[in-house]
Amino acid sequence: MQLSSSKAKKTADRDGNNKAIASPTQKFKEIPQLCVAQAIVKVLENLGVREAFGVSGGAMATLWGALSNSILIDVLHCRHEGGAAFAAAEAHFASDRPIVVFTTAGPGITNAITGLWAARDEGAKVIYLSACTSATQRGRWAIQETSDQTIPQSGIFTSGALFNYATVLESPQQLPQIARRLALGLAQPGGFVAHLSIPTGVQSIPIETHIPEVNLAPALSVPSQETIETIAQLLCEGSFAIWAGFGARRASAAILKLAERTGSAVMCSPRGKGIFPEKHPQYVGVTGVGGHESVMNYMQEFSPQRILVLGTRLGEPTSFWSKDMVPAKGFIHVDVDPKVPGVAFPFADTLPIIADADIFVKALLKHFPEQTEQNITLPNPELNAIAPAESNLVRPEILMQAIQRIVVDGSDAVVLSESGNSFTWTTNMLRFPQANRYRVSTGVGSMGHNVTGVVGAARGRNGKAVAVVGDGSMLMNSEVSTAVKYQLPTVWIVLNDAYYNMCNQGMTLLGMKGADAKLPDTDFSLIARGMGAEGIRVEAEVNLESALERAMAATGPVVVDVTIDPTRFAPSKGRNKSLSAQGVKSSTEPAKGTQVSFPLV
């Protein structure tokens, strides 16, 4: 095979057979000149990006081509921009790497916004690349024109509530500054979502600027020794509990040591499930949506003097802002974000500590060196008796028990739950032995988040990912076809009851008549097979375990369509109290023991 002149020279120089030394000018000419799109990809490679999820389009063809030809970045072409953004967020949590989302102009941008909003709210590290209309074409009715005449610029193309950092690259000379800003953002603790929009005409311009090397060494807040000593003294003044959230997921081992040395009870947010082993005798349960009555039992019976809050914002999905969760001497609230401590409970005494949870707890452990014997029996999450079946349909409670045995206990798969009743069933009934096995979205809680996010989770961890979803979400926005294309080990377990049932059950028990949440009967196993995935239909409880075992053994995507009983009310007692506090009243008196299941308001 004949080598090109440049390859022949490299080979000769390496082997020592060609001693001629090229002049600096000759060396410069041999270096291929990059265009803006290629330079951006080089920056992303330097930042540690290894996956990009998106949907193509003419306005960003050059950028898409550059991404696709990267030797380090794998491009996954999705079916919807929103699905790509949700998948990217979950790929970050599964891999702990920054992930790219890419879309074309116009509707590509607007379709992606909900997923990017969720990425920001969840604390993911995502870089969004979009195309926009070139300057010379703006205002002239270009195809999918993206300019200040068609799309609001503030907050979409500028930094704000949606993006930590956003800009439009109008000139190649901006690239070094942008690279530095991205590196600084990714190195900070917590999430970082950036938007870089590149006009179509700019993407192919050759660059003459140097692409800077970047340093992603994290800058973590470290509390002073005096602060640690003060906190230790306060905690020793009386009993305290630990309230762990998603932001403390890397502190799992340290939290376990602290709890066992001090005998403190531990509760967690819905996103924090598994940070503390859920079958541990000191675990009192999940708070908030889908949470456990055992938490309130603990607060009433044991009345801790303080609560050490680690990595949770204590927002409505976690706390319902309940005054019953405020201890007598208030909160010690640890978070990397200085805007968090004290905001959810502004009336409560709160000592704010701006620090990484793992660093903080490890420092605190030095003041609690001895392990003490614990003779106190704490309330643990309840395991309610399952009422007898009233139809031939599958009871969701029995399905959850099968998922616990086959998926949670029988594998290392990550489990993602969709919003709606699937959220409350899984949060309340599943028990995880360790952190980073369970993912839900609480703040945004968009339908479609994890029916698509499961694709990113499987790709990010290079292993099994299982989504427990509703039929409404599955109809709204799924990426089964994408999983088929890349043969990702994904499983969808569909709670198929032919309803938007969180809404249906909630409206029924609130006595609000006339609202129709019924869905046409759908066979998702047939749809899955039509797209090239394996589809399994389960219509009887006796077939549940064999279906799940088959799905978990498969190497490619599987949809398990389970026809569940729509009359079984999801465990949402805590949510009922929150709705009442916000003024939502029932026009009829619900039967004793029933629960209102309804979306966040």
Side-chain angles (χ1 to χ4, degrees), residues 428-550:
N428 185 272
M429 291 197 65
L430 299 184
R431 304 286 186 267
F432 290 88
Q434 71 230 38
N436 301 317
R437 289 281 310 275
Y438 185 63
R439 279 287 301 141
V440 293
S441 171
T442 53
V444 174
S446 171
M447 291 179 65
H449 184 125
N450 279 327
V451 294
T452 56
V454 66
V455 171
R459 180 62 186 84
R461 73 189 302 264
N462 290 318
K464 206 79 169 186
V466 178
V468 182
V469 306
D471 47 356
S473 291
M474 201 69 178
L475 288 167
M476 182 176 289
N477 183 19
S478 75
E479 293 285 341
V480 175
S481 176
T482 303
V484 170
K485 178 175 181 178
Y486 300 103
Q487 280 302 290
L488 297 173
T490 47
V491 176
W492 288 262
I493 301 173
V494 185
L495 279 63
N496 188 350
D497 54 16
Y499 277 99
Y500 285 129
N501 213 8
M502 175 172 271
C503 298
N504 176 63
Q505 292 178 351
M507 295 296 279
T508 298
L509 289 174
L510 288 170
M512 297 180 181
K513 300 179 180 180
D516 182 8
K518 187 81 172 76
L519 299 172
D521 289 335
T522 306
D523 190 328
F524 292 98
S525 64
L526 289 178
I527 296 173
R529 290 178 213 137
M531 288 190 287
E534 184 175 358
I536 305 172
R537 179 87 164 178
V538 179
E539 297 178 331
E541 292 175 356
V542 68
N543 298 323
L544 274 175
E545 291 204 4
S546 61
L548 293 178
E549 288 170 349
R550 177 176 157 191

Side-chain angles (χ1 to χ4, degrees), residues 70-127:
S70 167
I71 60 173
L72 295 178
I73 300 175
D74 290 333
V75 174
L76 287 84
H77 197 267
C78 299
R79 305 297 168 262
H80 189 272
E81 293 88 352
F86 289 128
E90 295 308 319
H92 163 73
F93 292 123
S95 68
D96 207 28
R97 292 188 294 268
I99 309 293
V100 159
V101 176
F102 63 91
T103 77
T104 191
I109 295 172
T110 55
N111 284 347
I113 283 177
T114 301
L116 294 165
W117 174 29
R120 172 77 182 266
D121 186 81
E122 294 291 314
K125 292 187 187 294
V126 170
I127 299 172

Side-chain angles (χ1 to χ4, degrees), residues 223-302:
S224 68
Q225 183 62 33
E226 181 181 1
T227 297
I228 294 296
E229 290 175 357
T230 299
I231 299 304
Q233 290 173 3
L234 292 175
L235 294 179
C236 288
E237 289 178 356
S239 64
F240 72 93
I242 299 171
W243 199 344
F246 187 63
R249 61 192 180 278
R250 294 183 179 88
S252 182
I255 292 171
L256 178 61
K257 288 182 181 179
L258 180 63
E260 291 183 339
R261 290 182 186 183
T262 61
S264 57
V266 182
M267 62 191 83
C268 72
S269 70
R271 291 197 302 159
K273 279 177 68 68
I275 289 176
F276 194 80
E278 293 195 273
K279 294 182 181 179
H280 194 285
Q282 288 172 243
Y283 179 66
V284 298
V286 177
T287 64
V289 179
H292 299 115
E293 292 182 78
S294 52
V295 172
M296 197 56 64
N297 292 339
Y298 165 75
M299 293 298 296
Q300 293 170 351
E301 294 174 21
F302 290 85

